[in-house]
């Protein structure tokens, strides 16, 4: 059975996310990134590529059909921008040099499928003004969580356009943690060294599982819109993150999610906040897309101009904060195009049991599972529809900075 457009981009995003994580994850370092933000804007860039450049992007993004990708992203954006009970917004914007025009087909695709606005801008002589204009848009889209994405030094007289994606999420847990149960506890950096953290706790029903191959516990914490969840994968070993990172690369997150079952779990989860800035030129090069940064790049389907264009930089900033109420997260990704001549983030429950007469002994309820996230773990904030998991944010908590 053929993939639907939304399945097509969802599956491509999942593979892209794993490949990117394998490259950018550093030992002992926290990370937060949005595979959806990066994949969406690069998919739009792909619409303007031609020949060998388009082929390299097909392989790196796992999108061989630009029309199917465009239709798929239209469905994804419309679905995510219309979720209930939480705030979730994804937007694209094209800033183009005031003297140039987007090609008609690219402009139509950007507007209708990627829901992108287009704005003409004077990149020079005052690059500070141009950078502020674009940064103001990003800040507005992300509730001021992503600031100064574009530095004035990224703008010059050879800049022709910026393609920018922004994502903002704020969602309450389906069942919030009670602040009175948050206590100072130890978070293990390894088998011996610890730091103090604010550890939240609650006992509740969660979708839970254990994976012996990953040597890990898995829990799904739902938001008010239960199509949205935070999945946490916790290695059993306090030093198990490196091996988990290696093994997770061979796993399908959808399969892991399907195998989870409803269990009573006593959950211990630290409050945390992570911010990351990731320069994506080298990772994308390692993923096979080096040509987009070179003098061999061909983006002839992008703008009306005889000038050859290449991407000078791709950068993403991301943020996540997890607390008793829920999660706030944001990300923005910008790709910069230049003229080639210049190419250089225990709630207590009281149960009332009524005594009943019974001719046989009642079975004792099973003991709750214990999920104590007191050492490094991976996490995935995703939206799930009928058949697909859409990875919005992916991260790793391995330490608490002083």
């Amino acid at each position: 059975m053929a993939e639907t457009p939304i399945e097509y981009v969802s599956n491509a995003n999942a593979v892209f996310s794993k490949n990117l994580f394998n490259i950018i994850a550093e030992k002992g370092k926290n990370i937060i990134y949005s595979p959806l933000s990066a994949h969406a804007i690069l998919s739009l860039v792909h619409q303007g590529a031609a020949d060998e450049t388009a082929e390299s992007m097909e392989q790196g993004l796992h999108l061989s059909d630009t029309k199917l990708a465009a239709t798929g992203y239209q469905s994804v954006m419309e679905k995510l921008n219309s979720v209930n009970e939480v705030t979730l917004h994804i937007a694209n914007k094209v800033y183009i040099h005031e003297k140039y025009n987007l090609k008609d087909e690219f402009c139509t695709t950007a507007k209708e499928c990627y829901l992108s606005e287009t704005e003409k801008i004077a990149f020079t002589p005052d690059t500070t003004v141009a950078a502020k204009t674009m940064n103001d848009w990003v800040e507005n889209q992300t509730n001021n969580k992503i600031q100064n994405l574009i530095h004035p030094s990224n703008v010059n007289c050879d800049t022709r356009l910026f393609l920018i994606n922004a994502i903002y999420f704020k969602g309450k847990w389906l069942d919030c943690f009670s602040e009175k149960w948050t206590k100072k506890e130890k978070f293990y950096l390894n088998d011996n060294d610890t730091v103090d953290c604010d550890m939240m706790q609650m006992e509740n029903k969660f979708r839970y599982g254990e994976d012996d191959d990953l040597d890990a516990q898995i829990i799904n914490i739902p938001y008010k819109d239960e199509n949205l969840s935070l999945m946490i994968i916790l290695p059993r070993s306090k030093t198990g993150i490196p091996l988990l990172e290696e093994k997770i690369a061979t796993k399908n997150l959808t399969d892991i999610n399907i195998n989870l079952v409803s269990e009573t779990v006593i959950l211990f989860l630290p409050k945390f906040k992570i911010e990351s800035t990731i320069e994506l030129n080298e990772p994308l090069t390692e993923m096979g897309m080096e040509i987009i940064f070179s003098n061999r790049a061909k983006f002839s389907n992008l703008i009306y101009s005889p000038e050859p264009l290449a991407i000078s930089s791709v950068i993403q900033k991301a943020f996540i904060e997890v607390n008793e109420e829920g999660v706030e997260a944001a990300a923005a990704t910008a790709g910069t195009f230049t003229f080639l001549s210049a190419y250089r983030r225990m709630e207590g429950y009281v149960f009332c049991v009524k005594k009943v007469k019974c001719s046989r002994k009642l079975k004792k309820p099973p003991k709750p599972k214990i999920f104590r996230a007191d050492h490094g773990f991976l996490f995935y904030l995703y939206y799930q529809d009928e058949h697909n998991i859409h990875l919005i944010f992916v991260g790793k908590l391995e330490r608490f900075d002083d």
Side-chain angles (χ1 to χ4, degrees):
M1 186 176 176
E3 290 178 306
T4 65
I6 199 167
E7 289 172 335
Y8 181 66
V9 297
S10 172
N11 292 334
N13 180 33
V15 178
F16 173 83
S17 176
K18 284 198 290 189
N19 292 342
L20 183 57
F21 181 85
N22 292 340
I23 297 168
I24 65 177
E26 296 182 53
K27 184 178 180 180
K29 296 283 186 72
N30 296 341
I31 190 169
I32 178 67
Y33 72 101
S34 173
L36 181 60
S37 178
H39 195 259
I41 203 65
L42 287 167
S43 174
L44 179 54
V45 169
H46 183 208
Q47 301 290 330
D51 300 340
E52 189 182 356
T53 305
E55 291 172 6
S56 73
M57 296 195 76
E58 287 173 12
Q59 295 171 12
L61 299 175
H62 302 274
L63 296 172
S64 58
D65 188 324
T66 53
K67 285 185 168 45
L68 197 60
T71 304
Y73 262 111
Q74 181 180 9
S75 299
V76 168
M77 292 187 65
E78 288 174 348
K79 186 180 289 286
L80 295 183
N81 285 339
S82 61
V83 297
N84 300 312
E85 305 292 340
V86 304
T87 300
L88 177 57
H89 180 68
I90 174 171
N92 295 309
K93 185 78 177 270
V94 178
Y95 286 96
I96 185 168
H97 190 294
E98 59 184 350
K99 294 183 179 178
Y100 292 82
N101 293 299
L102 295 174
K103 286 204 167 178
D104 292 345
E105 185 175 353
F106 180 86
C107 187
T108 299
T109 300
K111 181 179 179 180
E112 294 183 357
C113 297
Y114 291 84
L115 312 185
S116 176
E117 301 174 344
T118 300
E119 182 177 330
K120 290 202 169 188
I121 187 172
F123 289 120
T124 55
D126 194 337
T127 60
T128 303
V129 172
K132 184 178 185 304
T133 297
M134 293 184 283
N135 286 331
D136 284 350
W137 180 83
V138 171
E139 290 172 21
N140 183 58
Q141 298 297 319
T142 63
N143 195 32
N144 296 314
K145 295 303 178 183
I146 305 299
Q147 299 185 358
N148 302 316
L149 176 69
I150 297 162
H151 193 273
S153 63
N154 299 135
V155 187
N156 58 52
C157 62
D158 293 294
T159 304
R160 294 297 177 260
L161 69 164
F162 277 80
L163 279 72
I164 308 175
N165 172 275
I167 294 178
Y168 178 73
F169 171 84
K170 188 170 186 179
K172 288 186 176 183
W173 304 119
L174 179 63
D175 294 294
C176 296
F177 292 83
S178 173
E179 291 185 12
K180 70 179 181 179
W181 289 104
T182 299
K183 311 291 183 185
K184 287 289 184 183
E185 293 198 15
K186 302 294 185 186
F187 186 91
Y188 287 83
L189 305 177
N190 50 52
D191 285 329
N192 301 309
D193 300 320
T194 64
V195 293
D196 289 337
C197 71
D198 292 318
M199 188 71 77
M200 308 180 294
Q201 55 180 294
M202 81 157 64
E203 180 176 338
N204 209 340
K205 285 277 190 181
F206 295 98
R207 296 187 65 246
Y208 169 88
E210 298 184 21
D211 190 308
D212 290 335
D213 184 39
L214 293 176
D215 196 19
Q217 296 174 277
I218 303 111
I219 196 169
N220 234 338
I221 313 174
Y223 298 99
K224 289 292 185 184
D225 184 320
E226 294 185 62
N227 289 316
L228 284 150
S229 296
L230 185 72
M231 178 188 289
I232 297 175
I233 303 181
L234 176 72
R236 293 182 179 125
S237 167
K238 290 180 173 61
T239 57
I241 278 286
L243 188 57
L244 176 59
E245 289 176 339
E246 184 181 313
K247 289 184 174 181
I248 201 72
T250 65
K251 293 285 186 173
N252 185 309
L253 207 63
T254 301
D255 293 339
I256 293 174
N257 190 49
I258 288 171
N259 290 327
L260 303 183
V261 297
S262 180
E263 297 264 16
T264 299
V265 180
I266 300 175
L267 169 63
F268 296 84
L269 179 67
K271 294 171 63 172
F272 64 89
K273 180 166 70 173
I274 305 173
E275 297 179 70
S276 293
T277 299
I278 306 170
E279 305 248 352
L280 288 171
N281 290 36
E282 287 188 12
L284 295 176
T285 294
E286 196 168 331
M287 292 165 73
M289 291 182 274
E290 68 277 1
I291 192 173
I292 68 177
F293 305 108
S294 76
N295 59 9
R296 296 183 293 118
K298 189 172 182 180
F299 291 99
S300 54
N301 299 321
L302 196 51
I303 66 174
Y304 288 106
S305 170
E307 299 174 341
L309 296 176
I311 299 176
S312 55
S313 68
V314 180
I315 189 170
Q316 182 181 103
K317 282 192 172 188
F319 161 94
I320 190 168
E321 183 171 9
V322 176
N323 57 34
E324 291 90 351
E325 186 177 78
V327 174
E328 185 173 24
T333 310
T336 314
F337 282 81
T338 58
F339 171 39
L340 268 176
S341 68
Y343 184 66
R344 324 227 194 262
R345 160 192 349 162
M346 171 182 299
E347 186 170 329
Y349 288 86
V350 178
F351 294 92
C352 179
V353 180
K354 187 176 180 180
K355 189 174 181 179
V356 296
K357 292 182 178 180
C358 186
S359 59
R360 59 184 178 180
K361 289 184 178 180
L362 293 172
K363 288 184 179 179
K364 290 183 179 180
K367 290 183 179 179
K369 304 292 184 180
I370 306 295
F371 191 100
R372 185 180 291 273
D374 63 354
H375 55 278
F377 57 82
L378 306 181
F379 59 88
Y380 304 83
L381 197 164
Y382 69 90
Y383 177 91
Q384 183 172 22
D385 55 26
E386 294 83 1
H387 306 291
N388 312 284
I389 280 182
H390 306 283
L391 285 173
I392 307 173
F393 293 94
V394 175
K396 174 177 67 168
L397 180 69
E398 202 165 0
R399 56 175 292 164
F400 280 87
D401 294 322
D402 295 335

